[in-house]
Amino acid sequence: MCQAHKHGKLRQAMVKKYKEIIILIASFTLIRLLVAPTFGLGVDEAHYALYARYLDWSYVDHPPLVGWVHALFSSLFGMNEFTVRLPAIILFVFVSWFAYQFMLEISDSKTVALIAALALNCSFLLNAMSLMLLPDCFLMFLIFPLIFVTRKIEMEGGWRFFLYLGVTFGLAGLAKYTAILLVPPFIVYFLLKKRYDILFSPWMFLAAAIALLLIWPVIYWNLKNDFISFHYQMNHVLGSRRVRLQCLLTAITSQAGFYSPFLFAVSLYGLYKSFKAKEDLIRLSLLFGGTILAFFLYSSLREPALPHWSCIFYILFIPLGTYFLLMDGGCRKRNFLYLCIGFSLIVTLFLYAELSAKWIRFPDYKSPFQDIYGYPAIAEEANAIWKQNPNPKKAVAVTNWTMASRVIYYAFPYHYPVFVVDQRDDQFDFWEKKLPAGYDLLFLNSHFHAKDIPRIFQCDRAASVKKIDIMLNGGKVDSIEYIWCYNFQGWKDK
């Protein structure tokens, strides 16, 4: 009883000490839990959820961690919109907590750390990533432990910290291929500190061995499949040889818009001030975050980089920008920060409300919900039409990979096969164990991905059987035409 009483008092003291950040994290988490089941899965969400249905050592476009986590949660709780999003919500709880501890270490101020965590939770795209599980969500989760363990190795050097380092790098490698970008800044940090004893320590080789052991599934799968993932990623990120300044400008403006224009400015201020900072935690952040940002800005000169690829930079520099604006002194900078956070918070709460309630009527085919609305109805209607065909060799087909992930996911309750008929080599080619030739294919032609089925495909006969409009508040979100291609025989010669 005495021991239980002691633990109870300890818990009460911890809750009292961290009351403000607990309330902040709990408030945002509650909002996310309530919003999570109110809208359909997006393109990437559905694609990664399919990883759990087709468990493998790795995948064409990403390492397997996102699929393994989905498989764990779906085995425990079933698979639906809520459980698909639950891992991302949980991960961002830890991201917010780590960010708070990180800023507490730097500022030695609970107020500064709390405001920094609040700013992080007001970013538009980071809120999206707190709901939608992407491979990048794991990197956001791991970046703070990586910084913490790097400092522990520098200051204490115990073998267990090298063990933690190997696990951290290994998990990052299981999450996303761009985790390799975290290795050079780690090495550069110790080179700048002239800590060669650490870099060439036997424990460092142990850490490297642990990381390699953890990512062995990725290496093994690629060995079996001609390193297709590495070729895919190189073409995806640095595919074009042509340098285009417009792509870079597009990437920068999209990041400003998606993360919040005001918080984008806060992060740039944090980057600027970090170059002059002497604290090791800030220097580490500059090396890690700066490397990520520089790489994707460089790659944007050739192919537009998606905004979430740079999330590690913003995870670090929105809090750091907040810290510098608060600590620099002067009402103007503080008021500017409060304006940035206030504006972003209001917009974030509005977006959450609209996402769950969907009360705004948008013009036809202009709805921002076109990717996340209507697919259960599309799949259900396809099932009704599919069952009317007496041919046992029949399937549903789409001509665009972005439609494929949603159609396949929402088709699972109906058990009809789905083919992706395009000329793009991707993950769907691994999942399709049969060729569509000889099937009666029911093509789903959307307003946004319409194809002239009789003109481009060889069919004994093609017939449009139905067209439905996906409506929301009186506006057309999308239109789907169902077209049978009887005895599909592939593409016509051009």
Side-chain angles (χ1 to χ4, degrees):
M1 288 295 293
C2 292
Q3 193 71 16
H5 181 68
K6 185 185 294 185
H7 286 312
K9 291 191 70 174
L10 182 61
R11 284 195 297 270
Q12 289 178 1
M14 289 288 290
V15 170
K16 185 177 180 181
K17 180 180 179 181
Y18 296 110
K19 177 181 177 182
E20 293 83 1
I21 186 61
I22 290 173
I23 291 174
L24 187 148
I25 293 174
S27 299
F28 278 99
T29 302
L30 178 60
I31 293 171
R32 290 163 188 147
L33 290 171
L34 293 173
V35 172
T38 64
F39 61 100
L41 298 184
V43 178
D44 289 341
E45 281 187 290
H47 185 68
Y48 300 135
L50 292 179
Y51 282 13
R53 297 280 190 173
Y54 301 97
L55 272 179
D56 208 338
W57 292 109
S58 192
Y59 302 90
V60 172
D61 40 5
H62 286 293
L65 186 58
V66 64
W68 293 353
V69 170
H70 273 313
L72 174 63
F73 275 74
S74 63
S75 66
L76 293 173
F77 309 112
M79 184 171 281
N80 51 56
E81 285 89 352
F82 181 80
T83 55
V84 166
R85 292 181 175 129
L86 186 57
I89 296 173
I90 294 172
L91 282 173
F92 210 80
V93 168
F94 288 99
V95 169
S96 300
W97 175 258
F98 289 154
Y100 176 82
Q101 293 293 336
F102 175 70
M103 294 312 304
L104 195 60
E105 181 75 17
I106 290 174
S107 67
D108 197 30
S109 168
K110 291 174 64 175
T111 301
V112 171
L114 185 68
I115 296 174
L118 172 62
L120 202 62
N121 278 270
C122 292
S123 167
F124 311 150
L125 186 55
L126 294 181
N127 270 284
M129 296 175 72
S130 72
L131 277 172
M132 303 176 183
L133 187 65
L134 308 178
D136 307 81
C137 296
F138 296 100
L139 296 188
M140 294 194 309
F141 166 77
L142 292 168
I143 188 61
F144 290 114
L146 179 57
I147 290 174
F148 294 148
V149 78
T150 301
R151 286 287 290 141
K152 283 290 187 181
I153 287 173
E154 180 186 5
M155 293 185 296
E156 301 180 27
W159 65 268
R160 68 183 187 279
F161 297 120
F162 287 94
L163 175 66
Y164 300 154
L165 178 69
V167 172
T168 303
F169 270 126
L171 290 175
L174 281 176
K176 193 168 182 177
Y177 288 110
T178 51
I180 192 66
L181 296 175
L182 300 175
V183 177
F186 173 83
I187 295 173
V188 168
Y189 177 76
F190 286 113
L191 288 176
L192 292 174
K193 303 282 284 189
K194 298 182 179 179
R195 293 299 304 271
Y196 310 115
D197 58 314
I198 292 177
L199 284 176
F200 297 101
S201 164
W203 297 118
M204 186 63 76
F205 291 101
L206 174 65
I210 292 170
L212 285 172
L213 181 64
L214 285 174
I215 65 171
W216 177 248
V218 179
I219 299 171
Y220 168 74
W221 187 89
N222 274 279
L223 282 169
K224 287 178 58 181
N225 293 286
D226 300 320
F227 292 95
I228 187 174
S229 294
F230 299 98
H231 297 304
Y232 175 89
Q233 288 298 329
M234 289 299 294
N235 290 329
H236 191 41
V237 178
L238 295 172
S240 174
R241 294 183 180 181
R242 181 185 173 191
V243 174
R244 293 175 290 178
L245 184 60
Q246 184 178 356
C247 285
L248 175 62
L249 295 175
T250 299
I252 293 172
T253 54
S254 66
Q255 288 187 32
F258 277 101
Y259 284 97
S260 163
F262 283 109
L263 294 178
F264 177 76
V266 170
S267 66
L268 291 185
Y269 185 76
L271 177 64
Y272 164 72
K273 294 292 291 186
S274 294
F275 280 103
K276 301 179 181 180
K278 297 181 180 179
E279 295 90 338
D280 285 331
L281 281 176
I282 297 178
R283 287 177 174 176
L284 264 174
S285 301
L286 182 59
L287 286 170
F288 284 122
T291 299
I292 295 292
L293 183 66
F295 177 81
F296 285 119
L297 288 179
Y298 170 75
S299 69
S300 294
L301 287 169
R302 290 166 170 79
E303 294 287 339
L306 296 177
H308 66 273
W309 291 352
S310 302
C311 62
I312 287 179
F313 171 79
Y314 295 96
I315 281 288
L316 294 172
F317 282 91
I318 289 176
L320 284 171
T322 301
Y323 162 72
F324 285 119
L325 285 168
L326 287 172
M327 301 303 291
D328 279 355
C331 293
R332 286 187 179 181
K333 290 183 179 179
R334 291 192 176 211
N335 289 338
F336 172 73
L337 174 65
Y338 298 147
L339 172 66
C340 293
I341 295 175
F343 168 82
S344 302
L345 177 60
I346 291 170
V347 174
T348 294
L349 294 176
F350 171 80
L351 291 174
Y352 272 132
E354 173 59 21
L355 192 59
S356 58
K358 306 176 187 66
W359 64 68
I360 297 177
R361 185 196 188 285
F362 294 94
D364 290 351
Y365 308 118
K366 300 293 185 182
S367 173
F369 299 120
Q370 62 184 249
D371 282 335
I372 59 173
Y373 186 80
Y375 275 89
I378 293 169
E380 183 180 13
E381 188 63 43
N383 181 59
I385 298 172
W386 179 79
K387 289 195 298 187
Q388 293 172 7
N389 187 332
N391 185 356
K393 198 173 182 181
K394 58 189 176 181
V396 171
V398 294
T399 59
N400 184 274
W401 72 272
T402 61
M403 283 188 68
S405 60
R406 275 78 54 82
V407 171
I408 295 173
Y409 177 86
Y410 286 106
F412 273 117
Y414 307 110
H415 306 291
Y416 54 74
V418 179
F419 286 105
V420 184
V421 185
D422 62 8
Q423 294 177 314
R424 178 179 184 264
D425 295 328
D426 54 26
Q427 183 62 56
F428 297 104
D429 297 306
F430 278 77
W431 291 338
E432 292 173 3
K433 301 303 181 184
K434 298 179 180 179
L435 296 175
Y439 277 77
D440 288 350
L441 294 186
L442 179 63
F443 279 93
L444 309 186
N445 236 6
S446 79
H447 173 81
F448 301 100
H449 304 293
K451 298 288 186 181
D452 189 342
I453 302 301
R455 186 180 67 82
I456 64 175
F457 296 123
Q458 296 184 46
C459 315
D460 285 354
R461 180 170 62 91
S464 176
V465 291
K466 192 168 186 177
K467 185 175 182 179
I468 65 171
D469 294 323
I470 306 300
M471 306 294 295
L472 179 62
N473 298 328
K476 292 181 182 179
V477 176
D478 201 350
S479 296
I480 305 294
E481 185 179 14
Y482 297 84
I483 304 171
W484 275 115
C485 173
Y486 296 99
N487 191 24
F488 173 81
Q489 292 299 320
W491 297 78
K492 287 185 177 180
D493 294 331
K494 294 184 179 179

PDB file of all heavy atoms in Angstrom, residues 236-248:
ATOM      1  N   HIS A 236      11.460   9.131 -59.208  1.00  0.00           N
ATOM      2  CA  HIS A 236      10.381   9.911 -58.592  1.00  0.00           C
ATOM      3  C   HIS A 236      10.886  11.249 -58.076  1.00  0.00           C
ATOM      4  O   HIS A 236      10.220  12.283 -58.215  1.00  0.00           O
ATOM      5  CB  HIS A 236       9.781   9.084 -57.446  1.00  0.00           C
ATOM      6  CG  HIS A 236       8.516   9.647 -56.897  1.00  0.00           C
ATOM      7  ND1 HIS A 236       7.523  10.192 -57.688  1.00  0.00           N
ATOM      8  CD2 HIS A 236       8.064   9.745 -55.614  1.00  0.00           C
ATOM      9  CE1 HIS A 236       6.522  10.599 -56.932  1.00  0.00           C
ATOM     10  NE2 HIS A 236       6.835  10.349 -55.667  1.00  0.00           N
ATOM     11  N   VAL A 237      12.062  11.248 -57.462  1.00  0.00           N
ATOM     12  CA  VAL A 237      12.575  12.458 -56.823  1.00  0.00           C
ATOM     13  C   VAL A 237      13.477  13.259 -57.757  1.00  0.00           C
ATOM     14  O   VAL A 237      13.436  14.489 -57.775  1.00  0.00           O
ATOM     15  CB  VAL A 237      13.336  12.091 -55.523  1.00  0.00           C
ATOM     16  CG1 VAL A 237      13.920  13.334 -54.876  1.00  0.00           C
ATOM     17  CG2 VAL A 237      12.397  11.376 -54.551  1.00  0.00           C
ATOM     18  N   LEU A 238      14.299  12.549 -58.524  1.00  0.00           N
ATOM     19  CA  LEU A 238      15.259  13.245 -59.397  1.00  0.00           C
ATOM     20  C   LEU A 238      15.142  12.734 -60.834  1.00  0.00           C
ATOM     21  O   LEU A 238      16.137  12.522 -61.519  1.00  0.00           O
ATOM     22  CB  LEU A 238      16.685  13.034 -58.885  1.00  0.00           C
ATOM     23  CG  LEU A 238      17.019  13.643 -57.519  1.00  0.00           C
ATOM     24  CD1 LEU A 238      18.391  13.181 -57.056  1.00  0.00           C
ATOM     25  CD2 LEU A 238      16.980  15.164 -57.582  1.00  0.00           C
ATOM     26  N   GLY A 239      13.912  12.536 -61.269  1.00  0.00           N
ATOM     27  CA  GLY A 239      13.700  11.908 -62.566  1.00  0.00           C
ATOM     28  C   GLY A 239      14.108  12.757 -63.748  1.00  0.00           C
ATOM     29  O   GLY A 239      14.660  12.268 -64.731  1.00  0.00           O
ATOM     30  N   SER A 240      13.854  14.029 -63.690  1.00  0.00           N
ATOM     31  CA  SER A 240      14.132  14.897 -64.834  1.00  0.00           C
ATOM     32  C   SER A 240      15.545  15.453 -64.756  1.00  0.00           C
ATOM     33  O   SER A 240      16.038  15.782 -63.688  1.00  0.00           O
ATOM     34  CB  SER A 240      13.123  16.054 -64.867  1.00  0.00           C
ATOM     35  OG  SER A 240      13.445  16.971 -65.883  1.00  0.00           O
ATOM     36  N   ARG A 241      16.203  15.555 -65.901  1.00  0.00           N
ATOM     37  CA  ARG A 241      17.533  16.158 -65.959  1.00  0.00           C
ATOM     38  C   ARG A 241      17.457  17.655 -66.216  1.00  0.00           C
ATOM     39  O   ARG A 241      18.463  18.356 -66.088  1.00  0.00           O
ATOM     40  CB  ARG A 241      18.352  15.482 -67.061  1.00  0.00           C
ATOM     41  CG  ARG A 241      18.660  14.010 -66.775  1.00  0.00           C
ATOM     42  CD  ARG A 241      19.525  13.423 -67.862  1.00  0.00           C
ATOM     43  NE  ARG A 241      19.824  12.022 -67.597  1.00  0.00           N
ATOM     44  CZ  ARG A 241      20.581  11.256 -68.388  1.00  0.00           C
ATOM     45  NH1 ARG A 241      21.097  11.778 -69.503  1.00  0.00           N
ATOM     46  NH2 ARG A 241      20.807  10.008 -68.092  1.00  0.00           N
ATOM     47  N   ARG A 242      16.308  18.107 -66.597  1.00  0.00           N
ATOM     48  CA  ARG A 242      16.137  19.517 -66.932  1.00  0.00           C
ATOM     49  C   ARG A 242      15.931  20.349 -65.674  1.00  0.00           C
ATOM     50  O   ARG A 242      15.099  20.030 -64.837  1.00  0.00           O
ATOM     51  CB  ARG A 242      14.935  19.669 -67.860  1.00  0.00           C
ATOM     52  CG  ARG A 242      14.661  21.095 -68.292  1.00  0.00           C
ATOM     53  CD  ARG A 242      13.381  21.133 -69.112  1.00  0.00           C
ATOM     54  NE  ARG A 242      12.990  22.499 -69.410  1.00  0.00           N
ATOM     55  CZ  ARG A 242      11.804  22.838 -69.920  1.00  0.00           C
ATOM     56  NH1 ARG A 242      10.916  21.897 -70.194  1.00  0.00           N
ATOM     57  NH2 ARG A 242      11.526  24.100 -70.163  1.00  0.00           N
ATOM     58  N   VAL A 243      16.718  21.392 -65.510  1.00  0.00           N
ATOM     59  CA  VAL A 243      16.583  22.292 -64.358  1.00  0.00           C
ATOM     60  C   VAL A 243      15.532  23.346 -64.678  1.00  0.00           C
ATOM     61  O   VAL A 243      15.619  24.031 -65.698  1.00  0.00           O
ATOM     62  CB  VAL A 243      17.934  22.969 -64.028  1.00  0.00           C
ATOM     63  CG1 VAL A 243      17.756  24.011 -62.932  1.00  0.00           C
ATOM     64  CG2 VAL A 243      18.954  21.918 -63.602  1.00  0.00           C
ATOM     65  N   ARG A 244      14.535  23.440 -63.805  1.00  0.00           N
ATOM     66  CA  ARG A 244      13.437  24.391 -64.033  1.00  0.00           C
ATOM     67  C   ARG A 244      13.210  25.210 -62.763  1.00  0.00           C
ATOM     68  O   ARG A 244      12.792  24.684 -61.737  1.00  0.00           O
ATOM     69  CB  ARG A 244      12.158  23.640 -64.421  1.00  0.00           C
ATOM     70  CG  ARG A 244      12.233  22.949 -65.783  1.00  0.00           C
ATOM     71  CD  ARG A 244      10.988  22.136 -66.055  1.00  0.00           C
ATOM     72  NE  ARG A 244      10.928  20.967 -65.192  1.00  0.00           N
ATOM     73  CZ  ARG A 244       9.906  20.098 -65.189  1.00  0.00           C
ATOM     74  NH1 ARG A 244       8.872  20.306 -65.991  1.00  0.00           N
ATOM     75  NH2 ARG A 244       9.917  19.062 -64.391  1.00  0.00           N
ATOM     76  N   LEU A 245      13.491  26.486 -62.856  1.00  0.00           N
ATOM     77  CA  LEU A 245      13.322  27.370 -61.714  1.00  0.00           C
ATOM     78  C   LEU A 245      11.860  27.452 -61.289  1.00  0.00           C
ATOM     79  O   LEU A 245      11.556  27.603 -60.102  1.00  0.00           O
ATOM     80  CB  LEU A 245      13.850  28.774 -62.057  1.00  0.00           C
ATOM     81  CG  LEU A 245      13.844  29.806 -60.926  1.00  0.00           C
ATOM     82  CD1 LEU A 245      14.705  29.323 -59.759  1.00  0.00           C
ATOM     83  CD2 LEU A 245      14.349  31.152 -61.430  1.00  0.00           C
ATOM     84  N   GLN A 246      10.949  27.320 -62.239  1.00  0.00           N
ATOM     85  CA  GLN A 246       9.520  27.394 -61.919  1.00  0.00           C
ATOM     86  C   GLN A 246       9.108  26.283 -60.964  1.00  0.00           C
ATOM     87  O   GLN A 246       8.277  26.483 -60.085  1.00  0.00           O
ATOM     88  CB  GLN A 246       8.696  27.317 -63.199  1.00  0.00           C
ATOM     89  CG  GLN A 246       7.196  27.489 -62.963  1.00  0.00           C
ATOM     90  CD  GLN A 246       6.397  27.452 -64.252  1.00  0.00           C
ATOM     91  OE1 GLN A 246       6.968  27.372 -65.339  1.00  0.00           O
ATOM     92  NE2 GLN A 246       5.080  27.508 -64.142  1.00  0.00           N
ATOM     93  N   CYS A 247       9.706  25.102 -61.136  1.00  0.00           N
ATOM     94  CA  CYS A 247       9.405  23.991 -60.224  1.00  0.00           C
ATOM     95  C   CYS A 247       9.818  24.333 -58.795  1.00  0.00           C
ATOM     96  O   CYS A 247       9.104  24.022 -57.834  1.00  0.00           O
ATOM     97  CB  CYS A 247      10.115  22.728 -60.683  1.00  0.00           C
ATOM     98  SG  CYS A 247       9.378  21.943 -62.124  1.00  0.00           S
ATOM     99  N   LEU A 248      10.978  24.963 -58.659  1.00  0.00           N
ATOM    100  CA  LEU A 248      11.448  25.361 -57.333  1.00  0.00           C
ATOM    101  C   LEU A 248      10.511  26.382 -56.712  1.00  0.00           C
ATOM    102  O   LEU A 248      10.147  26.262 -55.525  1.00  0.00           O
ATOM    103  CB  LEU A 248      12.860  25.932 -57.438  1.00  0.00           C
ATOM    104  CG  LEU A 248      13.461  26.501 -56.146  1.00  0.00           C
ATOM    105  CD1 LEU A 248      13.583  25.417 -55.090  1.00  0.00           C
ATOM    106  CD2 LEU A 248      14.817  27.145 -56.417  1.00  0.00           C
TER     107      LEU A 248
END
